[in-house]
Amino acid sequence: MHDQQPKKARPSRMPDSIFAVLLIAPALAVLGITVLLPILKGIYVSFCTYKLQNLNDPVWNNFQNYAKLFQKGEIWIYFKNTFVYVFLTVAIQYVLGFGVALLLNSRIRGRNILRGAFLIPWTLPSVVVAIVWRWMLQQQFGVINYLLYRAGMTSTVNISWTTESNLAMAAVVIAAVWRQFPYMMVMLLAALQSVDKSLIEAARVDGASYTKTLRNIVMPSIRPVTISAVWIATMSNFQMYTIIANMTGGGPVVATTTLSLAAYKAAFQSYNFGEGAAIGVLWLVILAVITLISNKLSGKYAAD
């Protein structure tokens, strides 16, 4: 009889959970250094006196930065301007984007050319868009004033878009919508093309009108994409700085000063980095609430 060979001990296996953590650890480390640490630093300095004279030694002052913001009262104007700008911009670009997406989803001639043409504004940098629209809306030589005058909609060509409060907000909204609505159009067009065609055909056979089909079949089918597109557009416009800064600079007075411009002016014009950080933290809280609402809605309709 041959002697039995002793069994070799199997090397101990690393648990899958530990292996998974090791795989994602480098990504988590980079994310923490580039995202989490700056956020924590911003929150910390928002409770400090942090100016040029003490850049290396922030002084803790509890809630004084926040108290001063609300005592001055201008923070409420910044909130109002931000919400007005975001609501108008997102609402208009959704309506335009959905309308154009429906058009391009139909069988019209040259729709491929139109798809490319509508994407042109999206390819332009925001600073270029701001400069172009500022010149188009220029008081004496702007083509928009001339066209409105020739169409009989105004009695003069000397309309100052950037020095009147209501017109200044309208100007930046128009420019932002023109720049951003192609994104909304692309998202909604992709969603429309994924709608189950058999449901639409069945509705037509049952005698449903185009409006009822759109309301009861198409829109519920694209609702998850709509929520995501609107959420991304909202986040983008809450952060909008370039177009507003280059068209109106936040003026006249503070008529178009949003939270992003207010934070920039406090930090890099007044060199009060603590106050700028406080505005940024308030801004962060609003975005977090909007994100939670969006995720709740997305989860609800995805489950349905």
Side-chain angles (χ1 to χ4, degrees):
M1 294 180 63
H2 296 287
D3 295 335
Q4 291 184 351
Q5 295 290 333
K7 292 183 179 180
K8 293 182 179 179
R10 290 185 178 181
S12 59
R13 183 184 175 189
M14 181 183 298
D16 291 342
S17 58
I18 297 177
F19 182 66
V21 170
L22 291 176
L23 286 178
I24 65 175
L28 290 176
V30 172
L31 189 66
I33 293 171
T34 58
V35 177
L36 185 59
L37 284 181
I39 291 176
L40 294 176
K41 176 68 180 294
I43 294 173
Y44 170 71
V45 300
S46 71
F47 294 97
C48 297
T49 300
Y50 190 40
K51 300 181 179 180
L52 281 179
Q53 56 266 34
N54 65 327
L55 278 178
N56 297 321
D57 187 24
V59 179
W60 184 266
N61 65 10
N62 296 319
F63 290 89
Q64 286 187 23
N65 291 326
Y66 296 94
K68 288 179 181 177
L69 283 174
F70 288 101
Q71 285 170 2
K72 288 191 292 185
E74 289 186 349
I75 189 67
W76 299 114
I77 299 175
Y78 305 151
F79 275 121
K80 185 201 77 172
N81 291 342
T82 302
F83 281 110
V84 168
Y85 166 77
V86 172
F87 174 78
L88 290 177
T89 303
V90 175
I92 294 172
Q93 69 172 287
Y94 171 75
V95 172
L96 287 178
F98 188 56
V100 174
L102 288 173
L103 176 67
L104 296 180
N105 194 48
S106 62
R107 297 177 181 177
I108 61 170
R109 282 187 174 184
R111 65 177 180 176
N112 291 331
I113 297 175
L114 288 174
R115 287 176 182 177
F118 280 121
L119 285 175
I120 291 175
W122 198 17
T123 64
L124 299 177
S126 295
V127 65
V128 175
V129 172
I131 293 171
V132 168
W133 276 95
R134 188 175 65 190
W135 278 105
M136 290 175 66
L137 296 170
Q138 204 271 341
Q139 182 174 355
Q140 294 177 320
F141 310 108
V143 65
I144 300 297
N145 284 349
Y146 176 76
L147 292 176
L148 292 175
Y149 176 74
R150 295 293 295 177
M153 299 176 67
T154 61
S155 58
T156 178
V157 295
N158 293 320
I159 301 175
S160 180
W161 288 84
T162 57
T163 59
E164 295 184 21
S165 300
N166 294 331
L167 291 180
M169 181 60 75
V172 296
V173 167
I174 291 169
V177 168
W178 185 83
R179 165 70 171 78
Q180 298 171 11
F181 101 89
Y183 158 77
M184 187 71 70
M185 177 201 72
V186 169
M187 293 286 287
L188 297 178
L189 178 59
L192 289 172
Q193 292 178 339
S194 67
V195 176
D196 190 349
K197 300 296 187 297
S198 63
L199 295 176
I200 298 176
E201 293 298 329
R204 288 175 179 171
V205 170
D206 290 340
S209 64
Y210 176 81
T211 305
K212 288 184 177 179
T213 303
L214 184 66
R215 185 175 67 247
N216 298 319
I217 296 177
V218 175
M219 296 191 72
S221 299
I222 67 172
R223 189 175 289 148
V225 176
T226 300
I227 293 172
S228 297
V230 169
W231 173 74
I232 293 172
T234 302
M235 296 297 103
S236 175
N237 282 288
F238 257 100
Q239 301 172 49
M240 176 56 68
Y241 171 83
T242 307
I243 289 178
I244 302 175
N246 284 280
M247 287 190 68
T248 65
V253 192
V254 292
T256 57
T257 300
T258 58
L259 289 171
S260 59
L261 268 75
Y264 174 84
K265 289 180 177 181
F268 300 107
Q269 291 184 0
S270 301
Y271 299 107
N272 190 340
F273 302 108
E275 182 178 320
I279 296 173
V281 170
L282 294 173
W283 182 11
L284 179 65
V285 170
I286 295 172
L287 295 183
V289 171
I290 294 173
T291 301
L292 289 174
I293 295 172
S294 174
N295 289 340
K296 283 283 187 183
L297 290 174
S298 297
K300 174 184 176 183
Y301 292 116
D304 294 342

